[in-house]
Amino acid sequence: MVNKPIKKWKSGAIEGCIWKNVKVLDNGQELEFKTATLTRNYKKKGEDLWRSEVINFRRSDLPKLQVILHNLQQELFLTERNEIEGDDNE
């Protein structure tokens, strides 16, 4: 049986998925929980083979990831804008 995501979003080469997981506890009960993955698909220059980078996250990782992505976005967009406009006052 192939495990398929229960939800999927895609933007360009980036894909986010939600997965249903089941863990069997010591007492035999099954515990259901969800995890998330981010995938980036790409081809290496000069190759005709698609590759994927996959990162798995638990629910508790998502707020931390949001903070990091926000900071990365601010730095890259603000720095890039300053560089394009010729502003050296960073």
Side-chain angles (χ1 to χ4, degrees):
M1 181 171 150
V2 175
N3 189 16
K4 294 185 179 184
I6 57 176
K7 287 205 175 196
K8 185 182 342 182
W9 299 268
K10 188 170 183 174
S11 179
I14 306 294
E15 182 177 86
C17 296
I18 302 290
W19 301 86
K20 179 179 167 183
N21 301 274
V22 178
K23 179 179 180 177
V24 179
L25 303 175
D26 291 339
N27 62 7
Q29 285 186 315
E30 290 185 348
L31 174 66
E32 290 186 4
F33 62 99
K34 295 176 186 172
T35 56
T37 58
L38 285 177
T39 304
R40 183 177 74 97
N41 298 304
Y42 64 96
K43 279 187 180 182
K44 275 194 166 181
K45 191 173 184 176
E47 292 185 9
D48 197 33
L49 175 68
W50 279 98
R51 300 173 184 262
S52 296
E53 294 176 330
V54 179
I55 305 172
N56 299 297
F57 298 98
R58 293 189 171 150
R59 182 173 59 181
S60 61
D61 295 329
L62 295 178
K64 299 167 193 166
L65 181 60
Q66 285 178 316
V67 169
I68 297 295
L69 288 174
H70 175 75
N71 288 331
L72 291 171
Q73 181 182 22
Q74 277 192 313
E75 179 65 23
L76 291 175
F77 280 92
L78 293 176
T79 300
E80 195 169 297
R81 178 177 292 144
N82 289 339
E83 289 172 357
I84 291 170
E85 295 173 355
D87 184 3
D88 295 331
N89 299 324
E90 292 186 35

